[in-house]
């Protein structure tokens, strides 16, 4: 495990991302950036999020699509746990990731995407600390969604009936 700001052992931070394959990453931005530019944006945003998250010092799991565990390790390093996101809607994939971590006995889960460049280490750490007092923390995004969700127990209802 990385040495970070704190030695947090009861927390798992999950990052959802995609392996940056041109034409398959950030597809809504391809008309503006082109396939390579969109993939490069995905790459940079993921690297930034992993760098910020790894500063915290808790166990970090990277849930990915569009690549293999070997490709992810070659890209981001061996020090993280990698798991495929699997099938289903974004909500189903997030709910499954959270549930699997709680099944391991972890007490707090923080789930973040890579689409928010303002999601710095301090934001994530603040959310983790808030879980000492509340059961759920949500970091709202300007578009009406959220960039972060922290939980102390599985909450399937938070991932259902949402148009992702």
């Amino acid at each position: 495990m990385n040495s970070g700001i704190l030695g947090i052992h009861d927390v798992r931070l999950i990052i959802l991302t995609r392996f940056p394959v041109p034409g398959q990453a950030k597809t809504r931005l391809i008309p503006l950036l082109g396939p390579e530019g969109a993939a490069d944006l995905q790459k940079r945003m993921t690297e930034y999020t992993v760098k910020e998250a790894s500063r915290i010092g808790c166990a970090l799991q990277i849930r990915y699509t569009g690549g293999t565990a070997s490709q992810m390790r070659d890209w981001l390093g061996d020090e993280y746990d990698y798991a495929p996101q699997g099938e289903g809607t974004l909500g189903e994939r997030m709910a499954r990731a959270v549930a699997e971590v709680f099944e391991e006995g972890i007490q707090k889960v923080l789930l973040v995407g890579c689409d928010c460049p303002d999601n710095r280490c301090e934001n994530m750490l603040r959310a983790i600390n808030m879980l000492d007092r509340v059961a759920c923390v949500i970091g709202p995004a300007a578009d009406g969604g959220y960039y972060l969700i922290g939980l102390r127990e599985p909450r399937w209802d938070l991932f259902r009936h949402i148009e992702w």
Side-chain angles (χ1 to χ4, degrees):
M1 178 162 61
N2 298 328
S3 62
I5 293 173
L6 297 174
I8 302 175
H9 303 291
D10 64 340
V11 177
R12 176 82 45 85
L13 198 155
I14 302 170
I15 295 176
L16 295 176
T17 193
R18 172 178 291 278
F19 188 75
V21 176
Q24 296 178 17
K26 298 288 173 215
T27 56
R28 289 182 282 190
L29 294 176
I30 289 175
L32 184 65
L33 301 176
E36 290 79 16
D40 185 57
L41 179 63
Q42 175 72 48
K43 178 181 180 290
R44 290 172 186 239
M45 291 174 76
T46 298
E47 290 169 354
Y48 173 80
T49 302
V50 169
K51 181 184 106 189
E52 289 296 306
S54 65
R55 290 177 54 209
I56 295 169
C58 65
L60 182 62
Q61 181 181 69
I62 300 174
R63 292 271 178 149
Y64 61 89
T65 62
T68 65
S70 177
Q71 288 174 310
M72 296 301 292
R73 278 189 199 90
D74 289 346
W75 170 30
L76 296 171
D78 288 329
E79 63 268 29
Y80 310 113
D81 177 36
Y82 295 94
Q85 289 182 25
E87 300 298 319
T89 67
L90 178 58
E92 290 167 340
R93 290 178 281 150
M94 289 192 301
R96 183 173 45 250
V98 167
E100 288 175 3
V101 169
F102 279 121
E103 287 172 6
E104 294 176 27
I106 300 297
Q107 297 175 13
K108 299 178 205 167
V109 175
L110 190 67
L111 182 70
V112 299
C114 294
D115 293 348
C116 184
D118 287 333
N119 193 13
R120 294 184 172 87
C121 169
E122 294 78 14
N123 295 347
M124 293 181 253
L125 187 58
R126 187 170 36 252
I128 290 167
N129 289 333
M130 288 178 73
L131 288 172
D132 288 336
R133 298 181 307 280
V134 298
C136 178
V137 176
I138 297 176
D143 66 1
Y146 54 87
Y147 63 89
L148 167 154
I149 187 163
L151 297 167
R152 287 193 318 210
E153 62 186 30
R155 291 283 310 266
W156 288 95
D157 56 312
L158 294 175
F159 303 105
R160 290 189 177 139
H161 308 298
I162 298 174
E163 291 187 33
W164 301 101

